[in-house]
Amino acid sequence: MSNIGAYNERIREFDWSIAEKELDYSEGNIINIGWYCSDRICLQGKGDRVALFWEGFGGNEKQFTFNDIRVASNTIGAFLRNLGIKEGDRVCLFMDRIPELYLSFLGVLKIGAIVQPLFSAFGDESLHVRLENAQTRAIITQRKHLSKVRKILDLLPWLEHIIVVDYDNRKPLQKNEVAFSLEDAEPVDQCEIFPTKSESPSVLHYTSGTTGQPKGVKHVHYSLISQYLTTKWVLDLQEDDIYWCTADPGWVTGTSYGIIGPWSMGITQAVLDTGFSAEAWYRFIEKYNISVWYSAPTAIRSLMKAGDELVKRFDLSSLRHLASVGEPLNAEAVLWSEKVFNKPFLDSYWQTETGSIMITNFPGMKVKPGSMGKVFPGITGTVVDPKTFEPFTEPGKVGLIAFKPGWPAMMRTYWNNDEMFRKKFKKGWYLPGDRASLDSDGYFWFIGRDDDVINTGGHLVSPFEVESALLEHEAVSESAVVAKPDDVNMEVVKAFVTLKPGYEPNNELELKIMNFIRKKLSPLAMPQEIEYMETLPKTRSGKIMRRILHAKEWGEEIGDTSTLEEDE
Amino acid sequence: MEEIKDVVLNYVIEEYLEEDDEEITYDTPLISGGIVDSFSMVSLKRFLENEYSISIPDEKATPEAFDSVNKIVALVREFTG
């Protein structure tokens, strides 16, 4: 029997107080995610249960019980407090998927500070704009990422503490740097938990838009209510499950469902901190008896490419429930997983701003392969006319996905950008920026983004950010960036550039520009293809017309070009 | 002439290794070892194609085929004869 039971009954009788009761929370009480994910589980008598099986490079393994993560997060919290970090301060986590990343997440929350997780593959420019925007006071990182932090430190007057979790005494620490070793630190058994309330800020995730710099999405401790219940009903985690969320906590899936959801339920999770290989992933599932697996379409399609025969070499019979998020899961991938794992990957839809799953295929529900599924109980979602923002009355029409605000994990604002936050609402609907249709059974069908943001491997990349970075390359005069279709990643970044006089368009320069962006922004943002142009299509006032380049890549009609060389 | 494996090894060290990463050898796992991610693999492929005037089809450019310098050398040799 699945946790959700009968979907229609849940819809009829739904109230978020279901989660509040299960979490012993009442309005006005203290609610601290760090405490809920560790101390509370120990108070329930589950302190000896394994919270984390961790495996890194070279077969390096560690495991932590719930009591271990309680004490470790206390220890980290106390260390930060001693440095002077206080409630409301932003603390960036800039680490690979090592245990300290997960434990620091709880430790920062326990002292009332705000966690700012950032993907460790970000280059120095990506790191700089996000730390500057958040006025981050401390960053917890590893030796291998220190050079990126050092490069931008002088641009960040608020960054007072750089905490290195794996310092080995080989090279001297530099300005603002301090070593912290969880293994050597005196364990702190009792830590005063900061009395955060429902609206106290908790996590600040950064996401990209079409224009402007990345935006900091502010979440609050009350998000736990949504994250707990969606984990329970959608991911269907049960007492004896071993759960694997393959997402990196630098992105929202990795925190909402890679930390908060499973640990607030007291569920054991496993983390693999190595690069991707189909064989390594199957071996990991077999070794740890993974029963619930939450992954992404890009990874699933990569597994498909590795072939069916490889799957047969492993005992994957522990798998009970599979789910997917990040971009739409194509029907072929759903059918393939039914064939090789004897169960489908169930697609789910949500985004950084929503904080928790909004539309999904539930356990036990009829799956329509290629569909996003139905709304989570308690969520009012529909498809609205893009011109009037009124819901369509007939099924099958393509419009904008829209949600009535008010669920617990909804972002509270964009950091220092209320104006942008307000623009996300039209006629009382929150618009996530995606197009879809809704069929007569209430299933949503994804069409695409409603803007120029590129969804590559489930991660959003801002064309503006890449275009700006390209202009910093000595050879580039002008740039335009669009999505290009891709079999595995759904979309990848493609750049069109014109060159400055004296530079020859050749393959060697293309590679140099690719690597320049990879190091400055991130591998995700690196154009996988660069096309040299004599001129870029522009309006009369000089605005580059991305839509023409986008249409070219997607083999679409360019449409009305009368505005070419004219202002749109 | 510098051997292919040294050219590839030096390129990987120069382009993909972070400060304080462990030293790598011809057999160090690059993709499964997290040194080169799947997105960055595209730039490594492009380097090989430029350097050796070859074209590696996408179906051959798998994470497994790029997982160590020695494996990359074997792949390049398929196309350079």
Side-chain angles (χ1 to χ4, degrees), chain A residues 286-544:
Chain A
E286 181 182 71
K287 180 175 175 181
Y288 290 96
N289 291 310
I290 303 294
S291 52
V292 179
W293 184 18
Y294 195 25
S295 197
T298 294
I300 297 163
R301 289 192 285 265
S302 297
L303 294 172
M304 283 174 77
K305 274 182 85 176
D308 299 4
E309 285 306 309
L310 184 63
V311 184
K312 293 175 190 161
R313 284 174 37 199
F314 298 88
D315 177 4
L316 306 180
S317 57
S318 58
L319 289 172
R320 179 178 70 75
H321 180 49
L322 318 179
S324 167
V325 71
E327 68 215 72
L329 186 62
N330 49 321
E332 294 80 3
V334 176
L335 298 172
W336 176 77
S337 75
E338 278 186 320
K339 184 175 75 171
V340 301
F341 303 125
N342 296 316
K343 42 193 70 68
F345 268 98
L346 300 185
D347 199 8
S348 59
Y349 169 87
W350 57 295
Q351 59 170 189
T352 308
E353 285 89 338
T354 69
S356 63
I357 293 167
M358 305 297 281
I359 297 171
T360 189
N361 292 277
F362 295 89
M365 189 173 105
K366 181 189 168 195
V367 175
K368 295 188 183 184
S371 155
M372 302 156 72
K374 297 185 175 189
V375 286
F376 187 81
I379 301 295
T380 304
T382 190
V383 172
V384 299
D385 186 314
K387 291 196 175 94
T388 64
F389 305 109
E390 297 293 341
F392 286 127
T393 48
E394 294 166 50
K397 287 197 163 180
V398 175
L400 299 172
I401 297 176
F403 300 112
K404 280 278 175 217
W407 66 96
M410 169 79 190
M411 71 164 162
R412 295 311 195 253
T413 190
Y414 289 120
W415 193 257
N416 288 334
N417 202 341
D418 286 334
E419 188 188 342
M420 181 66 80
F421 174 71
R422 282 192 295 273
K423 282 185 182 168
K424 301 290 284 189
F425 298 87
K426 300 282 182 200
K427 289 197 175 167
W429 294 101
Y430 168 72
L431 304 176
D434 289 313
R435 291 179 297 130
S437 67
L438 185 57
D439 71 18
S440 53
D441 296 326
Y443 286 73
F444 287 74
W445 296 80
F446 191 84
I447 302 292
R449 287 289 301 173
D450 187 47
D451 54 24
D452 292 336
V453 172
I454 301 162
N455 185 335
T456 186
H459 306 301
L460 301 186
V461 172
S462 157
F464 168 81
E465 212 179 345
V466 183
E467 286 165 359
S468 303
L470 281 166
L471 295 180
E472 290 180 43
H473 190 278
E474 58 184 8
V476 177
S477 174
E478 294 174 306
S479 64
V481 165
V482 299
K484 174 186 159 76
D486 184 81
D487 287 345
V488 172
N489 296 297
M490 190 171 87
E491 296 177 347
V492 290
V493 175
K494 172 157 183 183
F496 296 84
V497 299
T498 63
L499 298 179
K500 287 178 183 165
Y503 287 93
E504 284 297 314
N506 57 37
N507 292 341
E508 195 184 338
L509 179 61
E510 182 188 15
L511 182 59
K512 277 186 184 167
I513 298 172
M514 287 166 71
N515 282 332
F516 176 77
I517 298 297
R518 179 172 59 79
K519 290 177 190 171
K520 197 169 188 61
L521 297 180
S522 73
L524 298 169
M526 179 185 78
Q528 306 246 322
E529 188 181 328
I530 295 174
E531 189 169 327
Y532 298 113
M533 307 277 279
E534 287 293 322
T535 56
L536 294 176
K538 287 184 216 141
T539 63
R540 186 164 290 172
S541 65
K543 186 181 164 198
I544 292 168

Side-chain angles (χ1 to χ4, degrees), chain B residues 4-55:
Chain B
I4 298 177
K5 65 180 185 180
D6 290 322
V7 172
V8 176
L9 182 74
N10 289 335
Y11 187 76
V12 169
I13 291 171
E14 194 177 312
E15 285 294 332
Y16 302 103
L17 244 56
E18 303 265 10
E19 192 173 298
D20 269 317
D21 267 339
E22 299 291 321
E23 281 186 16
I24 63 166
T25 68
Y26 302 120
D27 289 313
T28 301
L30 299 177
I31 309 292
S32 62
I35 293 168
V36 180
D37 62 81
S38 59
F39 285 90
S40 302
M41 210 178 88
V42 175
S43 56
L44 182 52
K45 174 174 177 275
R46 197 63 57 87
F47 165 75
L48 299 170
E49 290 176 331
N50 290 354
E51 188 75 16
Y52 299 105
S53 303
I54 56 174
S55 175

